[in-house]
Amino acid sequence: MSTRTTSAPGRANDPNSPFKTRVTERMGCGFRIRLSKVPAQVLLGAGLMLGSTPWCMAQTAQDLLFAQAVKKEHAGQMEEAGRDYQAVLDQLPNSVDAMLGLARVARSRFDMDEARAYYNRILTADPNNVDAINGMGWLDLADREVAQARGKFNRALELQPANDEGKIALDASKDIYRYRLNVVGGQFHNNQGQAWTGGVGFSVELDDLNTFEVGMNRNSKELISANPLDASTLPSTSWHLKYAWQMTGRGGFAVEYENRDRTNYPTEQRLKLSGNFSPTKGVRVLGGVWEGFGTGWKSRTVLAGVGVMITGPWEVVGTVYSQSQPNSVRAGVLDLVHYGTGDAMWMVGLGHTTSFANTPSGSDIHGKMVYRLTRDSALLLSARYSTLRHESQVELGWRKYWN
């Protein structure tokens, strides 16, 4: 009995994830089932229901259990599939099919060490097992070891030139990068005046889950902003450090420290904590708190929201913000987001502020775009207009990716 899997590019729990089986072929009793084209209810009896003439009239118990595991995996029931694959392995300790299935289940929950152990076990017995070689390549991509991953995918294609997974994986590896540099510049304007803005940021993806970021921004004037997300005086210079842990499709959190310098005020420091989780597929709940501290400074902003995937790559996100100090501000924001390849995206949104320093309520419209120019560069664009103080801000930038 043998199984061949083809995986698609992306992250775990994404519809195009390398950790989610895209096509599975089941070989047993003289017939082949392509799961992506066969209804789930015919899987267990495929030999008869497909009208084929299998060389055996009945499957073994292990065959039936394995077919059940593949059926559950195909339906996204990874933990249940894992239990069935383990039951097959308990009965057939050298079953390559079962070990490959357990490796995919481990990858789906980001247990890369367990997945690697199964692949190593397979490759120890058969160094030319194409499925295990591809699997190890995906693990290297998750660790952002792109050169090593491409070497494994090329090896798989040498052994099996028509292997779809190796071809897809090689193409996917072209969009995986460890380092990212942002350079932006723009203009801020309201009824107090105009300021030029600029910034630079650098981030490192330590692996598929962990990212570290550092950045610095500069404003030519210290104008008072009516931005409901940050209603305060613009700092002349600010810098930040950020760490984020994100399990795509599951949840994550981020911790950020920001230092804000102003000419006529003491230095302000901020600590930002944020998190999100997905209680069910296609839905994520988010929240956070930003706490300002330092001599003469005390501020707090609390946010909460929910995002819902409405169809394909489209998401609607609603968020409410409450800033207690230095000004009492309540705001609601509704965004429509479209996700593209890699980190390409665009977003448009509307916001409404219920109060700001005892002034009338106001509304704003805003947008953001990351447009991939080439495989290793992107155009950055953001814009915002608020009826409060007739405030507008536009930023244009460039992003560079490399390994």
Side-chain angles (χ1 to χ4, degrees):
M1 140 176 105
S2 64
T3 303
R4 187 178 70 187
T5 62
T6 299
S7 304
R11 291 192 175 195
N13 302 302
D14 186 290
N16 298 319
S17 171
F19 304 111
K20 183 174 181 179
T21 303
R22 180 180 176 186
V23 176
T24 300
E25 294 182 354
R26 169 84 171 101
M27 302 291 291
C29 287
F31 60 84
R32 175 178 294 181
I33 303 171
R34 185 175 291 271
L35 291 182
S36 61
K37 298 184 179 181
V38 178
Q41 62 267 28
V42 307
L43 289 176
L44 292 179
L48 297 176
M49 298 181 69
L50 292 180
S52 60
T53 305
W55 55 264
C56 62
M57 296 305 296
Q59 294 173 294
T60 66
Q62 291 84 3
D63 285 332
L64 290 170
L65 189 57
F66 182 85
Q68 178 176 290
V70 174
K71 174 183 174 181
K72 291 178 179 177
E73 181 182 355
H74 186 65
Q77 301 169 358
M78 302 304 288
E79 293 306 314
E80 292 86 345
R83 285 193 286 270
D84 289 341
Y85 284 132
Q86 185 60 58
V88 173
L89 191 63
D90 289 342
Q91 298 176 43
L92 302 172
N94 296 319
S95 171
V96 172
D97 293 318
M99 286 187 279
L100 288 171
L102 286 168
R104 292 193 299 271
V105 171
R107 285 163 56 188
S108 74
R109 61 170 182 265
F110 289 84
D111 191 340
M112 305 309 181
D113 290 338
E114 180 178 332
R116 186 172 284 107
Y118 283 120
Y119 290 137
N120 279 328
R121 184 174 166 184
I122 295 169
L123 292 171
T124 298
D126 178 10
N128 293 327
N129 185 286
V130 172
D131 291 319
I133 292 172
N134 280 326
M136 292 291 273
W138 286 117
L139 295 181
D140 285 340
L141 276 190
D143 289 336
R144 297 303 182 262
E145 300 293 347
V146 178
Q148 294 181 27
R150 290 179 65 83
K152 290 182 174 66
F153 298 139
N154 280 318
R155 172 58 178 161
L157 288 172
E158 289 175 3
L159 294 169
Q160 193 179 95
N163 182 261
D164 291 333
E165 181 173 10
K167 296 175 182 178
I168 292 172
L170 274 178
D171 188 61
S173 68
K174 298 176 183 178
D175 292 313
I176 303 295
Y177 297 96
R178 183 183 294 275
Y179 305 108
R180 187 173 67 183
L181 176 69
N182 293 341
V183 180
V184 298
Q187 185 185 70
F188 177 94
H189 182 274
N190 61 20
N191 58 12
Q192 293 182 325
Q194 174 181 294
W196 294 99
T197 66
V200 60
F202 174 73
S203 65
V204 180
E205 292 194 6
L206 305 176
D207 54 32
D208 205 41
L209 301 175
N210 300 278
T211 302
F212 179 77
E213 177 184 310
V214 59
M216 177 177 289
N217 294 85
R218 177 76 180 175
N219 299 299
S220 63
K221 290 184 179 180
E222 298 178 2
L223 304 177
I224 298 177
S225 171
N227 186 348
L229 278 62
D230 188 7
S232 63
T233 302
L234 295 178
S236 57
T237 304
S238 65
W239 59 268
H240 72 272
L241 299 172
K242 181 179 180 179
Y243 166 75
W245 182 90
Q246 182 67 43
M247 183 181 289
T248 305
R250 302 287 185 86
F253 68 90
V255 180
E256 179 178 352
Y257 170 80
E258 184 180 13
N259 188 90
R260 299 158 63 91
D261 292 321
R262 299 177 176 88
T263 303
N264 299 317
Y265 300 95
T267 297
E268 177 190 9
Q269 301 174 75
R270 286 185 176 183
L271 183 64
K272 301 180 180 181
L273 305 175
S274 60
N276 64 88
F277 73 97
S278 296
T280 186
K281 185 178 181 180
V283 177
R284 65 188 180 99
V285 178
L286 54 101
V289 59
W290 306 344
E291 190 79 23
F293 56 96
T295 304
W297 288 102
K298 186 177 181 182
S299 64
R300 175 177 295 170
T301 300
V302 178
L303 65 93
V306 61
V308 179
M309 300 299 295
I310 51 178
T311 178
W314 297 87
E315 182 183 31
V316 174
V317 183
T319 313
V320 292
Y321 296 81
S322 176
Q323 186 182 69
S324 58
Q325 296 182 29
N327 302 294
S328 178
V329 180
R330 304 292 184 273
V333 178
L334 184 65
D335 295 323
L336 175 65
V337 188
H338 179 274
Y339 300 99
T341 302
D343 61 355
M345 57 82 71
W346 63 262
M347 174 270 289
V348 293
L350 298 173
H352 183 74
T353 304
T354 58
S355 64
F356 178 73
N358 299 316
T359 62
S361 299
S363 301
D364 78 86
I365 183 171
H366 52 270
K368 179 181 179 181
M369 180 178 69
V370 178
Y371 179 76
R372 295 296 283 266
L373 299 172
T374 64
R375 288 274 192 177
D376 61 356
S377 66
L379 175 71
L380 310 177
L381 176 65
S382 65
R384 182 180 65 86
Y385 173 78
S386 173
T387 59
L388 289 173
R389 297 200 174 103
H390 299 288
E391 185 171 289
S392 64
Q393 184 172 8
V394 177
E395 286 190 327
L396 181 65
W398 173 77
R399 176 174 291 172
K400 173 67 176 178
Y401 311 85
W402 76 96
N403 287 303

